[in-house]
Amino acid sequence: MQKGWNFIKVIHRSFFTPISQMDHSTRYRYGPTLKWNPMVEEYFIKAYGADHFSRISAALVRPSCYSCIRVNTLKSTNDAVIEKLLEIFKERGMPDVVVQESATTWKPDNCCKTTLESIGSAESSKAIKSISKCQFPGLDYVVFVKGSGPHAIHYGYNEGKPLKEVIVSRKCAEAVLRGAQVYVPGVLACSAHVERGDAVAVSVAVEQSGPDGGWGIAMTRGTVLQGSQADPYYFERDGFYIGQGTAMMSRAGIFRASEGIAVDMKERVFRLPSFYDLLEGEIFLQNLPSIITAHALDPQPGERILDMCAAPGGKTTAIAILMKDKGEVVAVDRSHNKVLGIQKLAAELDLSCITTYKLDALKSVCCGAESDNLPNTCCSEDVQNMQKSDLSSATIDVFDEKLLSQKNIDDLQAKDGQYTSKAELRKHIRKLKNGPGRNHTAGGRVEKSQGFSPNSFDRVLLDAPCSALGLRPRLFAGEETIDSLKNHAKYQRRMFDQAVLLVRPGGVIVYSTEWLKPGEENLVQRFDPSSDHDTIGFFIAKFSVGHKNI
């Protein structure tokens, strides 16, 4: 407890401003400065130059001012989606949304302005400016929904009458800046006497450096905000106000409940629409560089493709749709719950060509697999010891074998008088196990894999775990160090070595996590968050695999 109070005192001293110097017109604003580890900041300044890195840092604290929607072309079209969205937005009180004929980029002065636009509450419902089709070649299944910001919010501060406030966690705030509501788990602190229906200013608590050199917020959930400079958190949130909303619960209700909306955001610094539960199965919200990553892989129907670090499944499902759900997409992740998430997303989008496994990407190559004659999937000793029958050639595990009765197999094999492919057998197994749709996914069952044999995939996507420093909006970056960044690179290289072993000669690897040597930056597609494309920070490298002499 003493350590926590010492921490608070350090913060208080570092941010304290005498009352006579306090300008309330600038306090209740959104103007964060991204905090970096000093050595990381020095490294990036040398790499990008001071001016460029300053622009990148400024861009990272803002969300992209458009939402990028990937249309499930197996169930809908971009024209149909646009028509449905216009109808939904009209019902939500946004009748002025227009459809633009083309839009590939938006200039900063037309979107995320560097100067604040002052608005009133009457403007709060106009979250969307326009909808447009993507004009980048080959990306006709992508729709852009343009928002706006940053906006100055009138919080109604009166001298001597403190605002009622809610402080949320950084993760919650980053989601709110992208269009989400404030949910109960994200609330850290609240003013006294907040009741349902009250207008509340929403600010964010961002990690601060402590006396021991670490980072933290030193705030106990449920803290009562005093609304004055005696409040130890008062100066910490100066410039970190993200909007104003209506409390959907009393203060006591917020900290007693385990779920639900705590604050309904009415006025936002950045106005972007929420797509929660919207056109489920027809659309998927995804960052443009991630969509382009799957596009660069160029998957073809009938191929066998591996997504090595697949969660949460956005790129996996994009690949499956580009393949027209024909062939097999093997999606692996080392987290049981994340694999379940991929399964649910695949079911929601009605995709049957996706096979999921729990597997550490560092162990993707089957232990002891030295020959192309080994089974494609080394899931268990039972599978490896199966006889070379039509069933075993489809790499079906013992559980799957029980699901397929001999009659089912005979029916499948007799279909049109032709032999049923491995992909069709796997597809049939998944239907037996999972049933149709999200709610029928098998209850918590995740297949484990011991890896795959070399040269067993036509294409491999490796979006390796990284620092995620390029994600937007990002309100804190201080925990990453030079050593942690280099450790990411070590793991990424080991995963890439696995990908090289798994793809067949003549196949393709797409790699999308960056640590480049000098001179290599011109060989890849990079996305700069400070550019006019207004994307997250990202990069994509595509490799054509030649003859292997391993």
Side-chain angles (χ1 to χ4, degrees), residues 182-253:
V182 175
Y183 290 89
V184 164
V187 178
L188 295 178
C190 181
S191 297
H193 311 302
V194 167
E195 299 295 337
R196 178 183 172 88
D198 284 351
V200 291
V202 180
S203 61
V204 51
V206 177
E207 292 87 337
Q208 306 288 339
S209 59
D212 59 353
W215 298 89
I217 57 172
M219 181 184 292
T220 303
R221 188 170 187 271
T223 295
V224 178
L225 300 178
Q226 302 299 327
S228 67
Q229 295 184 41
D231 183 342
Y233 307 105
Y234 186 84
F235 297 98
E236 181 181 340
R237 59 189 186 273
D238 182 12
F240 279 89
Y241 284 81
I242 60 176
Q244 189 173 50
T246 301
M248 302 303 290
M249 304 178 184
S250 67
R251 173 191 161 77

Side-chain angles (χ1 to χ4, degrees), residues 382-451:
D382 295 316
V383 173
Q384 296 180 41
N385 294 331
M386 276 184 177
Q387 295 179 349
K388 293 183 178 180
S389 62
D390 291 338
L391 182 61
S392 64
S393 66
T395 65
I396 301 168
D397 67 16
V398 175
F399 179 80
D400 294 337
E401 189 175 9
K402 293 177 181 178
L403 284 173
L404 283 178
S405 67
Q406 189 60 47
K407 183 180 184 302
N408 286 332
I409 297 170
D410 292 341
D411 289 344
L412 284 169
Q413 302 292 31
K415 182 181 179 183
D416 298 326
Q418 296 180 353
Y419 176 77
T420 304
S421 68
K422 297 177 183 179
E424 287 182 282
L425 281 174
R426 294 190 187 100
K427 180 176 179 178
H428 185 69
I429 291 167
R430 280 188 293 276
K431 285 185 176 180
L432 288 173
K433 287 191 293 186
N434 298 339
R438 168 187 279 182
N439 295 328
H440 296 279
T441 301
R445 188 173 190 278
V446 169
E447 301 281 355
K448 293 183 180 180
S449 173
Q450 294 181 3

Side-chain angles (χ1 to χ4, degrees), residues 142-393:
V142 176
V143 173
F144 294 132
V145 180
K146 183 181 177 184
S148 63
H151 301 283
I153 307 299
H154 298 310
Y155 292 101
Y157 173 82
N158 293 317
E159 194 70 37
K161 186 180 179 181
L163 299 176
K164 290 187 177 182
E165 298 186 45
V166 168
I167 296 183
V168 300
S169 68
R170 173 172 58 87
K171 291 291 186 181
C172 176
E174 290 169 351
V176 170
L177 289 169
R178 294 193 300 269
Q181 298 287 11
V182 175
Y183 290 89
V184 164
V187 178
L188 295 178
C190 181
S191 297
H193 311 302
V194 167
E195 299 295 337
R196 178 183 172 88
D198 284 351
V200 291
V202 180
S203 61
V204 51
V206 177
E207 292 87 337
Q208 306 288 339
S209 59
D212 59 353
W215 298 89
I217 57 172
M219 181 184 292
T220 303
R221 188 170 187 271
T223 295
V224 178
L225 300 178
Q226 302 299 327
S228 67
Q229 295 184 41
D231 183 342
Y233 307 105
Y234 186 84
F235 297 98
E236 181 181 340
R237 59 189 186 273
D238 182 12
F240 279 89
Y241 284 81
I242 60 176
Q244 189 173 50
T246 301
M248 302 303 290
M249 304 178 184
S250 67
R251 173 191 161 77
I254 289 174
F255 295 113
R256 286 175 183 168
S258 59
E259 59 183 18
I261 296 177
V263 180
D264 179 15
M265 298 298 295
K266 299 298 185 182
E267 298 184 22
R268 300 169 180 268
V269 172
F270 291 92
R271 297 201 213 114
L272 295 166
S274 171
F275 290 89
Y276 180 74
D277 263 356
L278 201 64
L279 301 184
E280 185 176 284
E282 293 186 60
I283 63 173
F284 183 76
L285 200 65
Q286 192 170 22
N287 288 308
L288 182 61
S290 296
I291 295 175
I292 295 176
T293 300
H295 184 80
L297 188 66
D298 193 26
Q300 300 299 312
E303 290 184 327
R304 189 171 192 246
I305 294 176
L306 174 65
D307 189 349
M308 288 182 65
C309 300
K315 298 183 187 69
T316 306
T317 54
I319 292 168
I321 292 172
L322 290 172
M323 294 169 61
K324 304 186 186 306
D325 206 23
K326 297 178 181 178
E328 182 179 23
V329 181
V330 178
V332 302
D333 196 274
R334 66 180 183 177
S335 165
H336 178 280
N337 289 337
K338 288 182 178 180
V339 174
L340 285 176
I342 299 171
Q343 292 177 0
K344 291 179 180 179
L345 180 58
E348 176 185 311
L349 297 174
D350 199 21
L351 299 170
S352 59
C353 74
I354 297 173
T355 306
T356 58
Y357 293 105
K358 179 182 177 182
L359 175 67
D360 186 341
L362 292 171
K363 302 174 182 177
S364 296
V365 179
C366 186
C367 182
E370 298 175 353
S371 169
D372 292 347
N373 295 323
L374 286 174
N376 287 340
T377 306
C378 306
C379 291
S380 67
E381 292 182 3
D382 295 316
V383 173
Q384 296 180 41
N385 294 331
M386 276 184 177
Q387 295 179 349
K388 293 183 178 180
S389 62
D390 291 338
L391 182 61
S392 64
S393 66

Side-chain angles (χ1 to χ4, degrees), residues 528-540:
D528 185 333
S530 65
S531 74
D532 288 346
H533 291 296
D534 193 25
T535 67
I536 61 173
F538 209 83
F539 106 124
I540 304 169

Side-chain angles (χ1 to χ4, degrees), residues 483-498:
D483 287 341
S484 67
L485 293 175
K486 289 183 177 179
N487 285 333
H488 287 309
K490 291 177 183 177
Y491 284 110
Q492 292 157 9
R493 177 57 185 266
R494 288 172 59 191
M495 291 180 185
F496 188 82
D497 290 342
Q498 297 274 298

